[in-house]
Amino acid sequence: MNNIFAKRRARLLAMKAIRDNYVPGDQLVVCPRCGGESQRKDVAGNLSVCPLCGYHFPIGAYYRLSTILDPGSFRELNEKLPAADPLSFPGYRDKQRAAQRKTGLTEAAVTASGTIGGRRCVAGVLDSRYMMGSMSAAVGEKITLAIEYAAKNKLPLILFSASGGARMQEGILSLMQMAKTSAALARFSEKGLLYISVLTDPTTGGVTASFASLGDIILAEPGALIGFAGPRVIQQTIGETLPEGFQRSEYQEEHGFVDAVVPRGELRETLSRLLRLHEKGGRP
């Protein structure tokens, strides 16, 4: 088992090395928010958070899971579930292959069982590097299977969202994943099990309109864009200037859509505490 995790960790590190589109050179990372330059090792040692302003860089799915799951507990679910091209959309297979080469993923979602603070759970992550984490039929299937696995084994569920919404190349089949994942969560909820939704930058479109918004507890990383349509589209539609910070996680917390904004460095401990509180006989 340790060998399996060691191989997975090596894969994580390899993927982490290629994921960052913000790095113009070998040593310095330029923050897209503050424009400051930081040593790559300082950003990496800070969980890919800018040491100068706290900007949360996007991170890959496997790396995300490695930051929250206990070492050695990672067990991937449905790893080989393939991407598809159900409508034979022009150029779609080429885009899929390019995303797979870039990320090392088969699709935009990774799901796994593991432990956090010794407590078993099921975790799923959307990876924004893979076609903006858009929800295809395969992604919807992976998320649904993870929900059903958690329900069958009576485990708490944690889903991390980072998505541009439904995947246009799969048309109605992509949109149907909204109902599919929501129905699976309804059955999960009927069993009295805990679902924690964690929103990262960005969480938009059909993902926001389905499983991302259905958590018993909804957390968000600082500065994450959260909404259905983007602020520019909304502003053009209603013809009014939107409030400052509209649709960012802090605004969403202030208006009751998000329960808490949690920095990446505190997320593992926060999740561990929530799992502990919600288990039978749990204590703070």
Side-chain angles (χ1 to χ4, degrees):
M1 293 299 180
N2 288 336
N3 288 337
I4 293 174
F5 189 77
K7 290 179 180 178
R8 182 67 65 196
R9 183 166 181 79
R11 185 180 178 186
L12 287 174
L13 294 173
M15 292 171 62
K16 182 174 181 292
I18 65 171
R19 68 167 172 75
D20 198 338
N21 294 323
Y22 300 112
V23 183
D26 291 333
Q27 300 298 326
L28 295 178
V29 176
V30 179
C31 177
R33 175 192 286 172
C34 69
E37 295 183 348
S38 301
Q39 292 291 324
R40 180 192 294 269
K41 61 180 178 61
D42 294 335
V43 176
N46 201 34
L47 296 178
S48 291
V49 176
C50 176
L52 303 177
C53 71
Y55 171 77
H56 284 51
F57 285 92
I59 58 176
Y62 286 112
Y63 180 59
R64 168 81 67 183
L65 289 169
S66 76
T67 67
I68 64 161
L69 295 180
D70 296 338
S73 71
F74 176 93
R75 300 292 180 271
E76 187 162 0
L77 304 174
N78 305 296
E79 179 180 6
K80 301 299 183 182
L81 197 151
D85 183 13
L87 304 181
S88 299
F89 194 92
Y92 184 35
R93 287 193 182 278
D94 291 337
K95 287 182 179 294
Q96 290 268 24
R97 284 191 285 266
Q100 289 165 353
R101 286 193 301 270
K102 176 185 176 183
T103 63
L105 304 174
T106 57
E107 250 294 358
V110 175
T111 57
S113 64
T115 62
I116 301 176
R119 289 163 179 83
R120 295 180 64 206
C121 66
V122 172
V125 181
L126 295 185
D127 194 317
S128 62
R129 302 169 306 149
Y130 193 110
M131 298 185 73
M132 275 306 298
S134 50
M135 186 160 61
S136 64
V139 168
E141 179 70 1
K142 266 197 169 185
I143 295 298
T144 300
L145 289 173
I147 297 168
E148 292 175 346
Y149 180 90
K152 179 180 178 180
N153 293 279
K154 298 182 179 180
L155 297 174
L157 173 71
I158 304 169
L159 295 179
F160 291 82
S161 297
S163 178
R167 193 172 299 173
M168 58 167 287
Q169 292 92 339
E170 298 190 19
I172 189 65
L173 296 175
S174 176
L175 295 174
M176 288 168 61
Q177 305 311 308
M178 297 167 60
K180 180 178 177 178
T181 54
S182 298
L185 281 171
R187 295 190 295 270
F188 180 85
S189 180
E190 288 172 358
K191 294 181 179 293
L193 299 169
L194 173 66
Y195 167 39
I196 302 174
S197 178
V198 185
L199 312 180
T200 71
D201 186 41
T203 298
T204 60
V207 169
T208 305
S210 57
F211 64 86
S213 301
L214 296 176
D216 299 303
I217 299 172
I218 299 179
L219 308 177
E221 287 192 333
L225 176 67
I226 303 165
F228 184 69
R232 182 175 60 181
V233 173
I234 295 174
Q235 188 162 302
Q236 290 174 344
T237 301
I238 67 176
E240 296 183 13
T241 301
L242 299 174
E244 184 177 355
F246 179 72
Q247 290 189 315
R248 294 293 170 179
S249 52
E250 292 78 8
Y251 185 94
Q252 302 284 23
E253 180 188 28
E254 182 181 344
H255 290 80
F257 184 80
V258 167
D259 293 307
V261 176
V262 184
R264 190 172 292 164
E266 300 174 14
L267 193 52
R268 173 181 157 82
E269 177 56 34
T270 298
L271 292 172
S272 178
R273 188 181 307 119
L274 289 172
L275 294 180
R276 185 166 68 249
L277 285 169
H278 282 81
E279 69 181 4
K280 187 176 181 178
R283 295 173 177 269

